[in-house]
Amino acid sequence: MNLCVLGAQWGDEGKGKIVDLLTPNFGVVARYQGGHNAGHTVYVNGRKFVLHLIPSGILHDGVTCLIGNGVVVDPHALFAEVDKLAGMGFDVAGRLFVSDKAHLILPYHRELDILSEARRGERKIGTTSRGIGPAYEDKIGRRGVRVGDLRDTSDNGPLVGAIRENVDARNRLVGNTEMKWQDVVADLRVMWTRLEPFVADVSLRLSQAFATGTRVMFEGAQGTLLDIDHGTYPYVTSSNAVAGGACTGLGIGPKAINAVLGVAKAYTTRVGEGPLPTELLGEMGQRLRDTGQEYGASTGRPRRCGWYDAVAVRYAVRINGLDALALTKLDVLDGIETLEICTAYKCGDEILTEMPADTAQLAACTPIYESMPGWTQPTRGVTRFSDLPAEARAYIARLEAVSGVPAAVVSTGSERDHTIVRDDSVAATWF
Ligand code: GDP
Ligand code: IMO
Ligand code: MG
């Protein structure tokens, strides 16, 4: 039984916590897209780990972690993370592998990311400045450099040729400073000595896992509304964060994915620019930000906060074929008198119950809310559904009804054991 776990909103839903929690029941955890723009926070006995490129299963011994061809890899970021984990007592050697088809993020990608944002001015995306977009641009433009290309860094080889051309293009664009292709190549030669033992045919490893009955978890980064095709374009990331991305980003067939779990907060957040229909700009937004510690795990930016948007989650159910939700951060809503749930959008004279494709139209929408009573008792750390206050149970039931899937997992805190797994749900087979 292979499971895909991904974001059902705008990222930061708590995917890291859920993947870490599920990992003991899987032999392999594989990331299929994104790069170190992701920040997946996992707490284990009060210790905080933030994973960017490395799958969130790495904190469990004996689990193999794979970084697929769909991921863009900055080798410096990768080794910074490997070193950090080593410093915390986790050795990844022999259980972390990177696809030789994954594209590299190189120094000029980071520069071009920042430059492109500056050029857009008011229309900026609010990227993480990690070079993600430009690296995917080079991939699609067929001038990218892949991990496996580092095998041949000879002066007349194809890798050096591509880097020379790309650095030339960068120098023409930037003008006032010059980057030397020789420096980029020299750095990559050093990187290769460290990277080589990690390189693998990820698709082949996965097919071997399937053949031996090893359970595999596919870990998404970002979220459905940040997907390059299905998100709030152009305010999105540059990869397919949706379930379909797991097939192309790992080299597996669609039938290898047996179930899809969408992670969604019990409210909504977004970091960066772009429409967020339920955004709360006043006191309630600040309350959610403070209580939920809603600051970006990668960039430290304050996250924009709002009420639960069932139109967006229902859309994620459709686009990903979600079987269930893992509903996180329920405890953040403790003590709020009245909770609002957005069930439709009002756009001019129209009532929309489906996500519009036109981002300008979405930006012009206002949410239509229904209200639910909140609860006063704390829910933090509750592990049994029946121990939740009646109002919290009713709130969850309503979210399930308006989102169209059951909340098989409910998270009540950042620690592993702050979790309710509903044994009467589909999740029972995943634990
Ligand atoms: P990801 O990118 O989807 O993995 O999510 P992030 O790690 O960026 O953001 C989620 C944050 O919420 C992290 O700091 C988690 O430790 C935290 N978190 C996850 N689940 C819960 C929960 O149920 N309650 C609370 N209070 N925090 C949670
Ligand atoms: P995880 O995996 C939330 C957002 C950025 C920006 C847009 C494009 O932790 O959920 P990029 O640097 O990817 O070109 O930025 O996407 N973004 C995220 N927001 N969580 C993430 O990852 C994100 N990764 C990118 O803020 O709006
Ligand atoms: Mg995150």
Side-chain angles (χ1 to χ4, degrees), residues 11-12 15 38-40 297 303:
D12 301 326
K15 298 175 291 294
H40 299 172
R303 294 175 183 149

Side-chain angles (χ1 to χ4, degrees), residues 134-174:
Y136 280 116
E137 279 178 49
D138 278 0
K139 170 179 174 172
I140 301 299
R142 295 164 294 184
R143 52 180 178 269
V145 176
R146 308 201 291 184
V147 166
D149 295 337
L150 296 177
R151 291 191 180 104
D152 176 8
T153 52
S154 60
D155 281 347
N156 297 319
L159 171 110
V160 168
I163 288 183
R164 284 178 78 152
E165 278 172 28
N166 292 343
V167 170
D168 274 353
R170 175 268 174 215
N171 287 342
R172 281 197 300 277
L173 208 66
V174 179

Side-chain angles (χ1 to χ4, degrees), residues 121-292:
E122 295 262 286
R123 290 172 47 255
K124 72 174 197 284
I125 311 287
T127 72
T128 59
S129 317
R130 301 289 195 267
I132 305 292
Y136 280 116
E137 279 178 49
D138 278 0
K139 170 179 174 172
I140 301 299
R142 295 164 294 184
R143 52 180 178 269
V145 176
R146 308 201 291 184
V147 166
D149 295 337
L150 296 177
R151 291 191 180 104
D152 176 8
T153 52
S154 60
D155 281 347
N156 297 319
L159 171 110
V160 168
I163 288 183
R164 284 178 78 152
E165 278 172 28
N166 292 343
V167 170
D168 274 353
R170 175 268 174 215
N171 287 342
R172 281 197 300 277
L173 208 66
V174 179
N176 56 346
T177 60
E178 199 188 342
M179 184 178 277
K180 288 200 162 41
W181 64 264
Q182 292 90 339
D183 294 343
V184 178
V185 172
D187 177 57
L188 286 176
R189 287 187 179 130
V190 175
M191 281 293 131
W192 178 242
T193 58
R194 249 197 116 174
L195 196 54
E196 193 176 4
F198 290 93
V199 178
D201 182 334
V202 162
S203 162
L204 183 62
R205 275 184 182 262
L206 286 169
S207 77
Q208 286 160 350
F210 302 153
T212 55
T214 304
R215 294 170 73 171
V216 179
M217 186 160 35
F218 311 110
E219 178 182 7
Q222 290 82 53
T224 303
L225 280 308
L226 288 174
D227 180 273
I228 183 75
D229 284 283
H230 301 288
T232 51
Y233 192 89
Y235 301 99
V236 292
T237 192
S238 298
S239 63
N240 283 116
V242 298
C247 293
T248 54
L250 288 166
I252 58 167
K255 286 184 286 185
I257 306 171
N258 305 116
V260 189
L261 175 64
V263 187
K265 279 176 191 167
Y267 50 99
T268 308
T269 66
R270 169 168 208 166
V271 57
E273 307 302 318
L276 185 65
T278 63
E279 182 166 17
L280 295 164
L281 294 166
E283 258 173 52
M284 186 54 77
Q286 191 57 41
R287 174 175 179 161
L288 292 173
R289 184 152 45 245
D290 289 342
T291 317

Side-chain angles (χ1 to χ4, degrees), residues 344-401:
Y345 303 141
K346 185 161 172 29
C347 192
D349 296 333
E350 259 187 294
I351 306 286
L352 304 179
T353 52
E354 298 295 337
M355 201 76 188
D358 181 347
T359 299
Q361 187 185 15
L362 181 65
C365 287
T366 51
I368 298 175
Y369 286 124
E370 59 178 59
S371 305
M372 297 280 295
W375 51 92
T376 48
Q377 306 96 298
T379 63
R380 189 177 158 79
V382 169
T383 56
R384 284 204 318 225
F385 194 73
S386 54
D387 289 344
L388 288 175
E391 296 83 354
R393 280 182 274 138
Y395 179 67
I396 294 167
R398 192 63 196 146
L399 296 192
E400 290 177 311

